[in-house]
Amino acid sequence: MLWSIIVGGLIGLIAGAITKKGGSMGLIANIIAGLVGSSVGQSLLGSWGPSLAGMAIIPSIVGAVIVVAVVSYLFGRK
């Protein structure tokens, strides 16, 4: 479980860097974005590619980018 949290945090960090929203997100938000994004990405794209801690890396990053973009659009500053 700890390994999943670490990998989820790294996936969230990568997604934040891709969307340029990583600086405004904290550590907990990165972990949540990574874990939720992993679920979303694997639901949409399947579980192909390299896997780490039960998460397919490429679909997880794509899903996390989607999650970060949607959350920043909904809760972003106006």
Side-chain angles (χ1 to χ4, degrees):
M1 182 165 172
L2 181 62
W3 188 242
S4 295
I5 292 172
I6 292 169
V7 172
L10 290 174
I11 290 170
L13 184 69
I14 292 169
I18 290 172
T19 60
K20 308 281 192 270
K21 304 289 183 190
S24 63
M25 294 173 35
L27 179 64
I28 302 298
N30 279 334
I31 292 171
I32 291 171
L35 294 174
V36 172
S38 175
S39 176
V40 168
Q42 290 184 43
S43 295
L44 294 175
L45 302 173
S47 59
W48 52 273
S51 180
L52 200 61
M55 296 180 232
I57 301 298
I58 296 170
S60 296
I61 292 172
V62 172
V65 166
I66 293 169
V67 168
V68 169
V70 168
V71 168
S72 67
Y73 176 75
L74 293 176
F75 297 109
R77 294 184 184 146
K78 298 183 183 197

